[in-house]
Structure formats: C-alpha cells, structure tokens
C-alpha cells in the first residue's frame, strides 16, 4: 500500500468515527504496541541487546513508517545525542543545568515554530510535495507530546549521572536510588530514549527503572519475603504475568477514547466560542464549560491509560508486591487518576491526580534541585518550578492565563481550608460535625466549577479566544478569587479567627494545610503572597549582609524594595 493509499484508508475511518486521521494513527500505534510489547516480553531475559534492538526498530517504524516524522526523528537524535555528550564529557556541578538549558532551549524553538505557524492543533512538518500532502497533518500530541516526554527523561538522566559522581553521603534517599555510577552504553541509552510503548505520550520514567527492567533486577523478591510467594511467571521468564492488568487498562483506555469521540461532538471549542452559546443562561453556560473541560480530559484519560497498559504488558509497570496481599502492583508508571480528579474537593486533590509523572519530575529535578543543601525550599524554588512548567508546556498565552489564575486559586483554597473548614470539624479538629457534608458538597462544586474556568484557556490557547470564553461566563472565577483574597486580607479574617479560637479547645493548634508544606503541583506556587513575603525577606537579608561586610548600603525605600522584589519575581506587582 502506498503512502497516499495509507492516508486514504485512515481518512475513510476518520469519516466514520468522527476522529481526525492522525488521532486514529496515534490510537493505532497505541493498540499495536500491545502485541509488540508481548513480543518484547518474550525475548529471552539473557539477551537484553535483542530487546534494545527490537525497541529501536519498532519506534523507527512508528516515527518514519506510520507518521513519516523525519523531522521528528532528527529532533530525537539531536536531543538524545546532545544530552548523552553533555552527561559524558561535561564535568562539575553545572552539568545538569547545561543539559537542562540545551534540552529546554531545543524544545522551545519547536514550540515557537508551531506557534508562528499558527497551528496549535496540527503542524505539517513532512516537507512532502505530493498533492495529498496539503491535507496531511500531524497532531501536536504526536510530536509536541513526544518531545515533552523526552525532555523529562533526558533532564532526569543528566541529574542521575551527576548524582552518580557524588559521594553517597551527600545524597538523599531518592538520589541514591536513581543515581547512575556508570554511564550506560549507547545501545541501552537508545533503548531507553525510544521505548516504544511510551514514545509519543509517555509515561516518563528514570533510566534506572529501564536498567532494572532490562536486567530483570526489578523483579527480585524483596529480602525477607518467601520466594515461593513471589509473583507468578511463565517458563523461564522473570517478568511476572501482566496480561490481565494490561488488558484491563486497554479496555478502560478504549472506553475513555470512545466517550471522548462522542462527547467531543457535543462539547467543543466551536460551541463555547460560537453564537449558540450566548442563547443559554448563565448556569447552562457554566455547565457547558464544565463538560468542555471534562471532554478534553477524556482524551488524556484514554491516551494515558492505553500507554500505561502497554508498559504494564512489557513488565515496566511492575511496582513490587503489595505488602499485605503479596499481589503484584502495576502502578509504577500511572500518570493520571481520573476518579481523584472528577471527585476532587480542593485544588490540591485536583492537581496532584493529574499528570502525576510531570509532578514528580518538577519536584525531583527542579524544585528540590534549586534549593541549597540544608535549607528548605523557598520562593526561588517555587518561581523556578513555575517558570519551568510554563516553558515546558509552550508559549501560548492561554497556558499563562491558566497558570496564573490557578496559583491564586490555590491560595484561596488554602485559606478556606485553614480558616473555614475547622468550623465544620469537632472542637479538637479530629471528627466532622453533622454539617460537614454540606461543606464537602460546596467544596466539590466550587472546585469543579473553578477549574473548568481556569483550564479553558489551556485548551483554547490564544488570548482572544480565552478572554472571550471567560467573558461569556462573566469572569466568575476571577471575581470569586479576587473577592476571597480581599476578604482574607481584611479584618474579616481576624474576626473569623477570633470566633474559631472561642469555639475550639484552647490547646488546639492551627492546622497547617497541606498546600503550605508541600511542593508546587505542576509548578504552580501554592501561595504567591508567601513567595512575595519571602522575596522581601531575602532582599532585606542581602542588604544587611552587605552592610555587615562594610559596604555602604542603605535600607531601601518602599519603591526601591518594590522594584527589587519585582526583579526577583520577574513580574510587576
């Protein structure tokens, strides 16, 4: 079959299903990965080089044979070779940062190229001249998603190599577990980069996970566990039986995809931005906006479930034995928890269940890496993580509208949890009162309604479309966030805390919300106001330190201090 015939076949199927050609190609690659993962699993454990060659061959077939992504293949080559050379030949503590700048810079160029082409959903990089090539497109998720996953893997690889060069006493437990004491061979590294079940949409994972999988040490029975109670295997393979959990993931993924195809015909950007939307009342518009966001999430639920299932079938999803039941766990590479998102009653629960591996990457390879040893992460870590997350996604204004508003939403949610939720708990803060279900229902409705508003620009991408969608629901989330922040900055907060102290036991200490002590989720600062306070504190400390060293430094005026804080935050106050 020629390339044009292949395209026409997918085009025919697209007309039946309502999906685009490249969506069908992408789903086809996910489904083909299942039998191919089964073949990969059956290559003898004693021949890891054959597994690597098989992985590389399948990925090249996907890139060149199925999608004709020659430019994409070149991009993989540039990024992976560049990262390997940097890790191998650059010495010193700045090696991972050099790799980070190289990889993020390379991806940013491609982000800008796609944006300049004004094609947020599709970009033709084939360079073909056949008549049918004018309508041949590549879904952004095919290439943009692949490169985003690649950046996570390769930046983590550089850090793992650097950790392997440091004395073990200087490493925390996570670093000890992931450190690479020896640079892998080019063949093993290529297999890691091109692992076909996770090539286009993830999930991302560290090199040490791939190494333990291909060497089968991942499947060692823990010390103290009876070897006879280890996971069931077939013949001489060490990889446990994984067909059933993989098929469950595949069925669930296909169900999500089916729902996406159905719901996307009813709830889409054309409806939200069209004239018909204005004919509905306010509550109906909010409902449509919620279903628009839900429909978008369905696509990711489906894609991530399908790719996770193929990883499980290959064995890479194995995560040890359940300590209570000794049943194998297959959630090592889980990237999303749909129930956790759709039932979330607060912003943290919503965000921590979405894009789990990206959260882990931002925490382990940015948030904690910019923090000096022996110190707690502060506003510098939060700001660096926020900027990294934003640039990693791209440069469409919609991303930044969503990120900025979500940061303030987290602050408001933290204040409600800290100052309002205790009224619905017993005086010792341990048990819910009979009225707690009302708080839970209202929290659920507020969280879901707020995030469907917040995430709309993330889907619409452009500034005019994002602002138009927000204006059609009267900026309700912006107004709600602003009003809440104004209240918690007013005497009303003092009055509420006074009532709370009168109500609760004298010995009861204020519960510090989880948002204030954990890393930023998806790079979003959990408390922008606290970050500003920390910036002011650092400026004062720097001025005082210079004065003690004998420098002629005066304490800055209000305007000087404001300018210094703006410089540190990188934005106007």
């Amino acid at each position: 079959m020629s390339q044009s015939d292949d395209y026409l076949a997918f085009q025919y199927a697209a007309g039946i299903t309502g999906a685009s050609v490249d969506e069908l190609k992408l789903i086809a690659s996910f489904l083909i990965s299942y039998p191919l993962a089964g073949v990969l699993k059956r290559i003898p454990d004693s021949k890891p080089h054959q597994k690597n060659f098989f992985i590389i061959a399948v990925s090249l077939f996907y890139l060149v044979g199925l999608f004709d992504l020659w430019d994409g293949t070149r991009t993989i080559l540039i990024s992976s070779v560049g990262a390997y050379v940097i890790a191998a030949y650059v010495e010193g503590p700045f090696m991972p940062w050099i790799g980070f700048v190289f990889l993020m810079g390379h991806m940013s160029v491609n982000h800008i190229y796609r944006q300049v082409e004004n094609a947020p959903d599709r970009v033709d990089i084939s360079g073909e001249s056949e008549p049918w090539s004018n309508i041949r497109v590549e879904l952004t998720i095919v290439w943009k998603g692949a490169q985003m996953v690649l950046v996570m893997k390769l930046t983590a690889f550089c850090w793992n190599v650097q950790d392997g060069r440091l004395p073990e006493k200087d490493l925390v437990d996570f670093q000890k577990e992931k450190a690479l004491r020896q640079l892998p061979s080019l063949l093993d590294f290529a297999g890691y980069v091109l692992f076909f079940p996770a090539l286009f949409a993830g999930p991302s994972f560290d090199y040490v996970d791939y190494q333990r999988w291909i060497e089968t040490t991942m499947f060692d029975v823990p010390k103290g566990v009876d070897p006879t109670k280890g996971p069931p295997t077939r013949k001489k393979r060490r990889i446990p039986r994984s067909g059933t959990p993989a098929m469950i993931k595949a069925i669930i993924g296909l169900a999500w995809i089916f729902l996406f195809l159905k719901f996307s015909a009813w709830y889409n950007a054309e409806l939200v931005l069209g004239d018909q939307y204005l004919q509905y009342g306010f509550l109906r518009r909010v409902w449509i906006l919620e279903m628009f966001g839900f429909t978008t999430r369905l696509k990711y639920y489906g894609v991530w479930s399908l790719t996770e299932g193929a990883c499980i079938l290959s064995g890479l999803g194995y995560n040890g034995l359940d300590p209570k039941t000794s049943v194998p766990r297959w959630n090592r590479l889980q990237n999303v928890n749909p129930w956790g998102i759709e039932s979330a009653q607060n912003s943290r629960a919503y965000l921590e269940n979405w894009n789990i591996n990206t959260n882990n990457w931002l925490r382990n390879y940015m948030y904690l890496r910019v923090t000096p040893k022996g110190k707690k992460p502060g506003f510098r870590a939060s700001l660096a993580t926020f900027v990294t997350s934003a640039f990693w996604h791209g440069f469409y204004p919609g991303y930044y509208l969503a990120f900025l508003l979500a940061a303030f939403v987290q602050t408001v949610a933290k204040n409600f949890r800290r100052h309002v939720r205790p009224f619905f708990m017993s005086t010792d803060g341990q048990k819910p009162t009979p009225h707690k279900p009302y708080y839970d229902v209202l929290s659920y409705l507020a969280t879901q309604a707020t995030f469907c508003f917040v995430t709309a620009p993330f889907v619409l991408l452009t500034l005019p479309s994002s602002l138009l969608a927000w204006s059609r629901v009267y900026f309700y989330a912006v107004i709600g966030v602003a009003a809440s922040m104004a209240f918690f900055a007013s005497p009303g907060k003092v009055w509420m805390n006074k009532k709370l102290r009168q109500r609760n036991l004298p010995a009861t200490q204020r519960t510090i919300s989880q948002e204030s002590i954990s890393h930023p989720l998806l790079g979003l600062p959990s408390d922008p106001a606290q970050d500003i306070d920390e910036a002011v504190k650092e400026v004062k400390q720097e001025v005082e330190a210079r004065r003690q060293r004998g420098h002629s430094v005066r304490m800055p005026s209000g305007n000087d201090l404001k300018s210094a804080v703006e410089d540190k935050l990188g934005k106007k106050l």
Side-chain angles (χ1 to χ4, degrees):
M1 181 181 289
S2 68
Q3 197 171 27
S4 58
D5 290 338
D6 174 72
Y7 175 81
L8 292 174
F10 277 106
Q11 190 178 38
Y12 176 76
I16 296 176
T17 62
S20 73
V21 169
D22 287 294
E23 282 175 327
L24 290 177
K25 284 187 177 183
L26 192 62
I27 295 171
S29 73
F30 296 153
L31 295 177
I32 294 171
S33 291
Y34 279 79
L36 292 175
V39 174
L40 174 62
K41 183 179 177 180
R42 284 161 174 78
I43 295 176
D45 295 338
S46 60
K47 299 180 179 179
H49 63 284
Q50 291 186 5
K51 292 188 178 185
N52 282 322
F53 281 126
F54 182 78
I55 290 168
I56 295 168
V58 172
S59 289
L60 290 177
F61 164 71
Y62 285 169
L63 289 166
V64 178
L66 187 59
F67 288 102
D68 196 30
L69 279 169
W70 291 96
D71 285 352
T73 305
R74 181 183 63 192
T75 297
I76 287 182
L77 186 65
I78 293 172
S79 290
S80 56
V81 171
Y84 191 89
V85 169
I86 290 171
Y89 295 105
V90 176
E91 300 287 343
F94 295 108
M95 181 275 285
W97 295 113
I98 294 173
F100 173 83
V101 171
F102 166 72
L103 292 163
M104 286 290 289
H106 186 201
M107 184 172 66
S108 295
V109 170
N110 287 337
H111 280 330
I112 294 170
Y113 171 77
R114 280 185 285 265
Q115 191 165 341
V116 169
E117 289 294 307
N118 194 29
D121 290 324
R122 53 185 61 182
V123 53
D124 184 3
I125 60 174
S126 65
E128 299 290 345
S129 58
E130 288 88 336
W132 54 270
S133 69
N134 292 329
I135 55 175
R136 182 181 181 280
V137 297
E138 310 294 347
L139 271 179
T140 295
I141 193 173
V142 173
W143 187 235
K144 178 183 176 183
Q147 192 174 14
M148 291 167 74
V149 172
L150 187 64
V151 166
M152 286 195 289
K153 292 170 71 173
L154 294 179
T155 51
F157 174 79
C158 290
W159 276 111
N160 298 152
V161 172
Q162 178 65 16
D163 289 340
R165 295 172 178 172
L166 299 177
E168 192 160 318
K169 62 181 180 62
D170 294 339
L171 305 178
V172 299
D173 290 342
F174 173 81
Q175 291 173 295
K176 293 176 184 178
E177 180 187 356
K178 303 296 183 180
L180 296 175
R181 297 296 177 182
Q182 184 178 355
L183 203 66
S185 69
L186 286 173
L187 182 60
D188 286 345
F189 180 73
Y192 167 66
V193 169
L194 294 171
F195 188 70
F196 66 84
L199 179 65
F200 289 125
S204 173
F205 50 90
D206 291 318
Y207 179 81
V208 71
D209 295 322
Y210 181 79
Q211 183 182 45
R212 291 170 181 167
W213 169 78
I214 205 164
E215 294 175 352
T216 69
T217 56
M218 176 184 288
F219 312 106
D220 290 344
V221 177
K223 294 180 180 180
V225 176
D226 185 350
T228 61
K229 294 184 178 180
T233 60
R234 287 185 182 275
K235 299 180 180 180
K236 296 181 179 181
R237 289 199 303 269
R238 300 199 64 205
I239 301 176
R241 297 179 183 179
S242 55
T244 299
M247 289 305 104
I248 291 175
K249 280 291 180 181
I251 292 170
I252 293 174
L254 288 174
W256 290 127
I257 294 294
F258 175 78
L259 289 175
F260 166 70
L261 294 175
K262 289 295 182 182
F263 277 69
S264 61
W266 304 327
Y267 303 101
N268 47 54
E270 288 74 16
L271 173 60
V272 173
L273 301 177
D275 295 335
Q276 181 182 354
Y277 191 58
L278 297 175
Q279 299 176 7
Y280 303 121
F282 172 71
L283 292 180
R284 179 73 179 274
R285 294 185 201 178
V286 173
W287 169 253
I288 291 174
L289 198 63
E290 166 63 31
M291 293 307 296
F292 175 51
F294 175 68
T295 300
T296 302
R297 294 194 296 275
L298 286 173
K299 175 174 63 176
Y300 291 95
Y301 294 164
V303 167
W304 286 335
S305 293
L306 288 174
T307 56
E308 184 188 354
C311 291
I312 289 173
L313 190 58
S314 72
L316 190 59
Y318 179 72
N319 197 24
L321 300 175
D322 187 287
K324 295 182 178 179
T325 64
S326 295
V327 174
R329 296 176 300 188
W330 295 97
N331 61 347
R332 177 184 294 274
L333 301 180
Q334 182 179 5
N335 203 36
V336 68
N337 178 7
W339 176 250
I341 294 170
E342 302 306 331
S343 64
Q345 297 178 19
N346 57 70
S347 62
R348 185 161 196 88
Y350 194 101
L351 294 172
E352 71 182 0
N353 287 293
W354 175 262
N355 216 344
I356 296 170
N357 291 301
T358 299
N359 271 321
N360 293 336
W361 172 67
L362 288 169
R363 179 186 67 239
N364 294 323
Y365 298 110
M366 178 52 64
Y367 184 67
L368 298 177
R369 301 290 180 163
V370 299
T371 304
K373 186 178 179 181
K375 294 187 177 182
K376 293 182 178 180
F379 91 95
R380 292 175 185 269
S382 296
L383 183 62
T385 309
F386 175 83
V387 172
T388 298
S389 181
F391 279 25
W392 181 74
H393 281 92
F395 300 101
Y396 278 100
Y399 295 147
Y400 296 86
L401 282 178
F403 274 129
L404 187 61
L405 181 56
F408 288 100
V409 167
Q410 287 211 92
T411 299
V412 169
K414 182 194 70 175
N415 282 324
F416 270 95
R417 183 174 179 84
R418 178 180 290 176
H419 302 292
V420 178
R421 184 175 180 272
F423 285 103
F424 297 88
M425 302 295 291
S426 59
T427 55
D428 61 0
Q430 300 300 314
K431 298 179 181 179
T433 66
H435 298 98
K436 179 64 161 48
Y438 297 108
Y439 174 86
D440 293 340
V441 170
L442 290 175
S443 296
Y444 170 77
L445 294 175
T447 298
Q448 299 297 327
T450 299
F451 271 96
C452 76
F453 181 95
V454 169
T455 57
F458 218 90
V459 182
L460 299 173
L461 298 180
T462 65
L463 185 62
S465 295
S466 300
L467 294 179
L468 177 61
W470 278 3
S471 67
R472 290 182 166 191
V473 287
Y474 309 113
F475 296 95
Y476 70 85
V478 176
I479 294 173
V481 167
S484 299
M485 294 192 71
F487 174 80
F488 286 114
S490 73
K493 177 182 174 181
V494 178
W495 172 83
M496 181 176 290
N497 286 339
K498 181 179 179 181
K499 291 292 184 181
L500 192 60
R501 286 192 297 270
Q502 292 173 352
R503 173 185 180 273
N504 288 353
L505 296 176
T508 301
Q509 299 293 322
R510 183 182 70 178
T511 300
I512 300 177
S513 66
Q514 192 177 17
E515 287 88 340
S516 66
I517 60 176
S518 300
H519 69 283
L521 291 169
L522 296 179
L524 299 175
S526 58
D527 193 341
Q530 182 180 346
D531 289 342
I532 292 175
D533 290 341
E534 290 182 0
V536 172
K537 183 179 178 181
E538 284 203 15
V539 171
K540 288 183 176 179
Q541 289 176 343
E542 184 175 339
V543 170
E544 187 61 30
R546 290 186 180 183
R547 174 178 291 176
Q548 292 177 357
R549 290 195 299 265
H551 293 194
S552 178
V553 180
R554 64 177 180 84
M555 286 300 293
S557 64
N559 288 333
D560 293 337
L561 195 58
K562 178 182 177 182
S563 298
V565 171
E566 289 176 342
D567 290 339
K568 284 187 172 288
L569 293 177
K571 60 184 179 183
K572 293 289 185 181
L573 299 178

